[in-house]
Amino acid sequence: MERKVRVRFAPSPTGPLHIGGMRTALYNYLFARQQGGDFLLRIEDTDQGRFVPGAEDYIIEALKWCNISPNEGIGFGDGPHAPYRQSARKIMYREYVDKLIESGNAYYAFDTAEELEALRKNAEANKSSFAYNANTRKSLINSITLTTEECEKKLKNGDHFVVRFKIPELGQVMLKDIVRGDVVVEVSSLDDKVLFKSDGMPTYHLANVVDDYLMQITHVIRGEEWLPSAPLHVLLYRSFGWEQVMPQFAHLPLLLKPDGNGKLSKRDGDRLGFPVFPLNWTDPFTGEVSSGYRERGYSPEAFANMIAVLGWHPTGEQELFSMDEMIKQFSLERVHKAGAKFDPEKTKWFNQQYLKKQTDIELAQSLSQYIEKQPKYSCIEESRKELVFLETVCKLMREKVHFVHEIFDMAPYFFFEPQSYDESVISKKWNDDAEKVIQTYLQSLQTETEVKSNRYEELFKATCADLNLKDGQFVQILRVCITGMSGGAALYDTMALLGNDIVIARLKFALNKLS
Ligand code: GLU
């Protein structure tokens, strides 16, 4: 019988989720939705030493922001396989480790951390490396070398122990990876990984496989860094006798540095000035803040689209996909094998494309929310924070920005009076004629009985014509007087939005400063 597709995202709460992790979650979600399957979130927190407070909440918040919604799991309303946090499942794993010990596939090992460290050091000194494996296990302190009585005595004594998986001495492990094809590994290259510790906690490998089995996972879709663990996982399925229900594997390509080779890291983001996390993260131990895409002004739709096409692409040229389109078109077969170079500039392009799809009023709402959150903008005059005003600002600036908040950097003159004037224009174009034009224009504006919004241009042209001057030569000077800058939004529309009082005040101020 065909099994219902069930996939999982299984992060460890060891810090903020990297964009690579978000992509893994997204691919799982897309695949499940497309196949009419289930997608669950499981928190893998067996390594308590690496637990970071706040990380679990961060993961949940990041998934929610990005509209990646598991239908089972922590933060999304549990499901039939609760609990979904491995630390809360602790008592369940003992039974499985006991099965492996009974069947001879695992054994107790009593070597202390110091003893193993000494062996490692020794091997290093001899330019080799130490591994706990078929060669070495016979000369170490474990239930293979000890008698049953000795072993039981140690256990009764409460001696520190671990349970290790007994890798077979000969043979190969074969696995079919949907992305990478056939993967064949010689068992002799594997070591006897720890599965269980004396504090009653399983390690990642055991808990991960047992939970995938119990939660009826059909496809394991995860990052390439887990590929080296996959042969051990296959051997675990074999040892448990679960081969019939072993999930299919799909190991996703790495995200690579924008420049050079190697895996994309937080350091690359810091060095080149782009976030590698979906949301801002404050390190609970150091207080250090790492920036996130959300806080940088990215829309969740743009972010999801951007990460989806890092490593996957359907046929054709299309680059923009809504979530529904991605659900329809996604396929694991079209996930690339090679790592995907991360391009921070392209992320801005994605945001711009999504910004273009929004209406002026939607953009104005985002801008308004942004202003509210920024204490430095509390001084902006109330009328210039109103949605009708912001709507026109957005209309005038939308084609020029990647992010709505960029409007402040590119066009501060909508909100603040210019205090200085672009020197490159002034030095070239401010002369007696320019002064005369601005002076006369100012007078005309002041004496016009009725100044309609479309009069600014006509009046400027008429002013120049009366003075026998070409208006085209003075438009930039007018722009600088009004905005302080040499480029920006359509000038006469900007003036119309600011209104006559502000326009007159700015021209007076400019004349004062420049003459
Ligand atoms: N807990 C692992 C992680 O943090 C999960 C790996 C897997 O999906 O099997 O990425």
Side-chain angles (χ1 to χ4, degrees), residues 11 48 52 57 87 100 108 151 155 173 178 202 213 225 248 250 253 260 288 295-296 306 337 360 434-435 499-500:
Q48 297 282 311
V52 173
D57 287 342
S87 56
L100 291 178
Y108 289 102
C151 189
L155 290 174
V173 192
I178 301 172
Y213 167 75
E225 64 273 28
Q248 293 186 56
E288 188 200 350
E295 288 78 4
R296 286 274 178 112
M306 180 276 282
K337 222 188 273 185
D360 296 337
E435 190 175 336
N500 221 30

Side-chain angles (χ1 to χ4, degrees), residues 8 10-12 44 204 208 212 220-222 225-226 233:
R8 84 303 194 271
S12 297
E44 300 206 328
Y204 155 72
N208 183 272
D212 282 348
V220 166
I221 305 168
R222 63 184 172 191
E225 64 273 28
W226 298 103
H233 297 178

Side-chain angles (χ1 to χ4, degrees), residues 105-158:
N105 287 300
Y107 60 92
Y108 289 102
F110 299 97
D111 321 84
T112 63
E114 294 75 34
E115 284 162 347
L116 294 175
E117 189 49 35
L119 288 165
R120 249 172 238 129
K121 287 241 167 77
N122 203 8
E124 253 168 49
N126 293 319
K127 300 224 166 350
S128 73
S129 59
F130 168 76
Y132 212 117
N133 60 19
N135 290 329
T136 54
R137 71 169 84 104
K138 288 174 197 140
S139 54
L140 292 160
I141 312 162
N142 51 49
S143 53
I144 299 167
T145 54
L146 298 172
T147 63
T148 314
E149 294 73 42
E150 282 168 331
C151 189
E152 267 165 15
K153 197 167 150 210
K154 276 185 174 296
L155 290 174
K156 258 203 203 111
N157 248 353

Side-chain angles (χ1 to χ4, degrees), residues 246-266:
M246 185 167 83
Q248 293 186 56
F249 291 97
H251 287 92
L252 308 175
L254 292 177
L255 296 187
L256 304 175
K257 293 178 193 306
D259 53 347
N261 299 320
K263 201 174 150 183
L264 177 72
S265 72
K266 174 170 143 38

